[in-house]
Amino acid sequence: MSLKQPIKPVLAAACALVTLANAAPAMSKDLHSYAALDQVSTSHLHLAVTVDFERSEVRGSASYDLVRHTDASEIHLDTRELTISKAEIAVNGDWQDTTFTLAEAHPALGQKLTVQIGDKADKVRIHYASAPTASGLQWLTPEQTAGKQQPFMFSQSQAIHARSWIPIQDTPALRLTYSAEVTTKPGLLVVMSANNPLGDERPGRYEFAMPQAIPPYLIAIAAGDLAIKEINQQVAIFAEQYIVDAAAWEFADTPRMIDITEQMYGPYLWDRYDLLVLPPSFPFGGMENPRLSFITPTVVSGDRSLINLIAHELAHSWSGNLVTNATWRDLWINEGFTSYVENRIMEALFGTEHAQMELSLGYQDLMADLQRLPEGDQVMHLELGQRDPDDAFSQVPYVKGQLFLVYLEQQFGRQNFDKFLRQYFADFAFKSIDTATLKAYLQAELLAKYPSEVTIAKIDQWLHQPGLPVDAPRPSSDAFTKVEQQTQRWLKGGQLQPAGWTTHEWLHFINNLPLDISAVNMARLDREFKLTDSQNSEIAHAWLKLAIIKKYEPARDRLRSYLLTIGRNKLVSPLYRELARTPDNLSWARDVYQQAKAGYHPLTQSVAEGLLYPADTTTEDK
Ligand code: BES
Ligand code: ZN
């Protein structure tokens, strides 16, 4: 694998595209940002900040290059809980103070910052400090890290949290380049979604450049006692020392994943691809920060069984980071395409059966979500209003989006569909698009070009109707059918023979056990297969959830320690949701939560509190 140079996006010469873009409906407005990009936008950010662990704040200045589209004399930026101390503007490098106003806080969007820029300024600079409670940052004390010697901090900007640590036009419709100079405690390493230092020095002052234009939600930072281990010339692991070797082993297939994706969908355009393994409180499985995906340590399972997460975050280097959803209503354009590409990578590496099992597990999660979600949250072009996008998070953009693409692949044939996708990534590289633009592109480049039975009405049904169309693909897996047959035999007293079962088969088995399974059978399973003690975070999660439902008390201590050591929202929130169903469990869960809370990320805190302290009950002991 040769190290690839970043390539300047060459927009497809195709005139067809130009016509199409002009014909497409005007881009829908992003209701989650106060930025008015049609008046003035920002093309480059320079951050000069200190990461201050004493005060848990990021402090300094954000300077922007301005691009004027009208004669507007002010710019609107998004902020949340930021303290703004000063604003300046420059005309040809000559800086002077200017006035600004900070509006009342909107509960989901934060505060609009309006800065006067006159009619000549070509740059604006904001001096600011973040709040210790910034929704997009987590600050960990040395005791909360594995090494116990140094503190740790990291950002999670998607969806609308960049504004809690940078005053910014926080909409994915914007793309900007950035550079940064960051100062922190000597001895700590700072990394960003940019070019990162690979050497041994830890001077506490670092410079970064991200020369490719990215949306603000992909600006990322982390600081801590990080070791580095290279997998090859292009890929390295950044992590605390205790896990760096294990992670390098677990994710050793990453270079092959890059090769496979390049062969299918075109060149990887981001130079290096490194992985940062975070502390266990990282609220997501992964985050596709360009050049440096952020990864939960809970997928370092010792058997490489959860590496579809790496395929997923890598896939975002095409779907999401090259071609970006223009608003959070269009999240499926990021996540549906990425889930599809992820599954194609897994298929190429590990075969059809493996990929089918993963698709099938996703399908089961989607069906569970469709059961509980209101109709507006079941459509791909989400009806968000001004709700925080985090509150509508579900499997719909992911798995319904993925099934839509599987459906198109089946209807048009893999060869045609692959060609289409490759062209799509090239045509929209470094652009943000909405669902209407995508629909017009599908019509012109797929429906009109290849014979099929797919009508535009069918496309509309996928995009705008709740639930799934009757002819949607229904993933199935032979391996899972065999698991189900074994389950039936075992329930009638037969032996379970899981020798050779993968993590996926175990998950399918546990998730599909009948809810009236007897206490004796629970104990029998646990005795034979040590499920309570499973060190696989997904298997333990599935088992602990069942244990709550079945009131299987021997799993209590493990449940407590699981909730106290892991902060990944997807793994802990379903357990709290299950615990909240009975008064005894709820009060036990509140106790555990009070202990766990300080170690949880703000996002996991807010989801867990929504479950354990719903609005109508007392919140005094929160
Ligand atoms: N970009 C997402 C995480 C995200 C989505 C953060 C929306 C904020 C708002 C990331 O790529 C992701 O999807 N992670 C999944 C991975 C899984 C589907 C393999 C996760 O964290 O579980
Ligand atoms: Zn994703």
Side-chain angles (χ1 to χ4, degrees), residues 306 308 339 342 356-373 377-378 393-403 468 475 480 504 507-512 538 541-542 545 568 570-571 574 577:
L306 303 175
N308 67 300
S339 300
E342 166 201 332
Q356 277 299 116
M357 285 197 280
E358 291 185 348
L359 181 60
S360 177
L361 288 171
Y363 181 70
Q364 294 176 44
D365 289 346
L366 172 67
M367 296 317 268
D369 273 3
L370 291 176
Q371 292 284 320
R372 68 173 178 89
L373 288 172
D377 291 353
Q378 295 185 20
F393 188 85
S394 82
Q395 294 302 312
V396 170
Y398 287 78
V399 184
K400 187 174 173 182
Q402 177 181 11
L403 288 177
L468 284 176
F480 283 180
H504 301 84
L507 289 174
H508 187 70
F509 171 72
I510 299 170
N511 288 338
N512 291 285
E538 293 279 357
H541 168 87
K545 201 164 90 183
R568 180 177 168 192
K570 188 191 120 182
L571 294 181
R577 182 177 293 120

Side-chain angles (χ1 to χ4, degrees), residues 156 158 284-288 309 312-313 316 335 393 398:
Q156 168 54 45
Q158 194 184 8
F284 287 98
M287 178 65 212
E288 65 270 26
L309 177 83
H312 181 98
E313 302 315 331
H316 274 303
E335 300 300 346
F393 188 85
Y398 287 78

Side-chain angles (χ1 to χ4, degrees), residues 345-393:
I345 298 171
M346 295 308 283
E347 183 191 312
L349 266 181
F350 302 108
T352 322
E353 187 52 55
H354 187 98
Q356 277 299 116
M357 285 197 280
E358 291 185 348
L359 181 60
S360 177
L361 288 171
Y363 181 70
Q364 294 176 44
D365 289 346
L366 172 67
M367 296 317 268
D369 273 3
L370 291 176
Q371 292 284 320
R372 68 173 178 89
L373 288 172
E375 291 203 334
D377 291 353
Q378 295 185 20
V379 295
M380 294 207 325
H381 186 52
L382 290 165
E383 286 162 21
L384 284 181
Q386 281 189 325
R387 269 185 299 165
D388 186 324
D390 291 347
D391 295 343
F393 188 85

